């Protein structure tokens, strides 16, 4: 279940809906059921993020500059070309509200077996299926 978390200074609900739709359809074109695509937005006060000693949203008193910090959790077997393609899709989807040079994308590859979602096989067996040895690792 690919999960994209977007922390951004842009708070418009229409922006969020558009982005979620565009990213979900991108995943569908890659063969993923859109019901398994999560896009999460986290409000980000611009004055709380710095690049070195400088506020990322611009100097005090100047007009603020929107930006986005994006973290993507996806299957570890997705290669560098796939990740690059998705990073470009994210960057394109966030525009024009967030300029391309203000989008920061990172990836967190995961083993899908470690992704517990409603109805996933990872829940099979319940907690009693975990051996004592596994529980203490």
């Amino acid at each position: 279940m690919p999960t994209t978390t977007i922390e951004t200074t842009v708070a418009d609900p229409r922006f969020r809906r558009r982005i979620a739709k565009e990213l979900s359809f991108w995943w569908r074109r890659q063969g993923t059921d859109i019901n398994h695509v999560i896009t999460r937005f986290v409000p980000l006060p611009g004055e709380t993020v710095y690049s070195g000693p400088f506020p990322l949203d611009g100097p005090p008193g100047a007009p603020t500059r929107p930006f986005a910090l994006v973290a993507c959790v996806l299957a570890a077997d997705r290669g560098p070309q796939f990740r690059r393609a998705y990073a470009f899709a994210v960057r394109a989807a966030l525009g024009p509200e967030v300029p391309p040079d203000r989008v920061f994308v990172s990836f967190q590859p995961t083993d899908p077996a470690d992704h517990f979602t409603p109805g996933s096989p990872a829940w099979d067996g319940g907690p009693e299926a975990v051996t004592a040895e596994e529980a203490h690792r």
Side-chain angles (χ1 to χ4, degrees), residues 4-12 14-23 39-42 44 66-72 86-106:
T4 304
T5 301
I6 301 170
E7 295 180 84
T8 184
T9 54
V10 180
D12 182 355
R14 292 170 300 185
F15 166 80
R16 292 176 177 177
R17 176 95 171 137
R18 179 178 59 81
I19 302 310
K21 182 178 176 181
E22 287 184 31
L23 295 180
T39 307
R40 187 170 85 93
F41 292 88
V42 177
L44 184 63
F67 62 91
L69 307 175
V70 183
C72 309
Y86 189 56
F88 274 89
V90 167
R91 197 163 112 176
L94 289 171
E97 292 88 346
V98 181
D101 67 335
R102 311 280 292 156
V103 177
F104 304 86
V105 180
S106 66

Side-chain angles (χ1 to χ4, degrees), residues 48-127:
T48 64
V49 180
Y50 287 73
S51 177
F54 307 105
L56 202 52
D57 68 346
T64 59
R65 298 179 60 213
F67 62 91
L69 307 175
V70 183
C72 309
V73 177
L74 62 139
D77 64 352
R78 300 288 191 175
Q81 284 183 300
F82 186 93
R83 292 190 307 268
R84 181 177 166 83
Y86 189 56
F88 274 89
V90 167
R91 197 163 112 176
L94 289 171
E97 292 88 346
V98 181
D101 67 335
R102 311 280 292 156
V103 177
F104 304 86
V105 180
S106 66
F107 290 92
Q108 300 167 357
T110 189
D111 179 343
D114 290 337
H115 204 117
F116 291 74
T117 60
S120 73
W123 290 108
D124 290 349

